[in-house]
Amino acid sequence: MRTSRKGAIAQAAADRARVEGLIRDRDGYKQQAIDAIRALRKVSRELSDLKDEVALHIVAAQHPSSALSDAHSMALSLLEAMDARGIDLRIELARLEGTAL
């Protein structure tokens, strides 16, 4: 069966539109993947910073002349250290304390 010229042109246009749609979809998925990787890297950095800070506070609290000898001082110091690193713990603290933001 022979396809008419108009039919072939219409089919080519439809194919091109499908391909362009697939390319847009691919580009959108690619951007979502890039955004997810950036978010994971940020979380990874924050987790590493938290671990470093907790370790530093544990070592400091074990020192005989430490000002971090009580729980309240330790909590305030950790909060200040996290804030200085740009890590916001308000949501986590509110959840643990049973309050809503």
Side-chain angles (χ1 to χ4, degrees), residues 23-80:
I23 290 170
R24 278 191 303 277
D25 290 347
R26 181 209 56 199
D27 290 347
Y29 294 136
K30 181 179 174 184
Q31 187 58 49
Q32 287 176 358
I34 290 168
D35 294 344
I37 289 168
R38 285 182 181 144
L40 287 172
R41 285 182 179 158
K42 180 178 185 254
V43 168
S44 176
R45 280 191 307 273
E46 286 182 354
L47 178 59
S48 178
D49 287 349
L50 285 167
K51 288 169 62 177
D52 289 347
E53 214 48 66
V54 168
L56 286 170
H57 277 73
I58 289 170
V59 170
Q62 291 174 341
H63 194 274
S65 65
S66 176
L68 302 176
S69 59
D70 65 275
H72 184 72
S73 296
M74 179 70 83
L76 288 177
S77 181
L78 277 170
L79 284 172
E80 289 173 2

Side-chain angles (χ1 to χ4, degrees), residues 75 79 88-101:
L79 284 172
D88 186 358
L89 295 176
R90 288 180 297 173
I91 292 172
E92 291 81 1
L93 291 172
R95 181 179 50 81
L96 292 172
E97 294 169 351
T99 60
L101 283 179

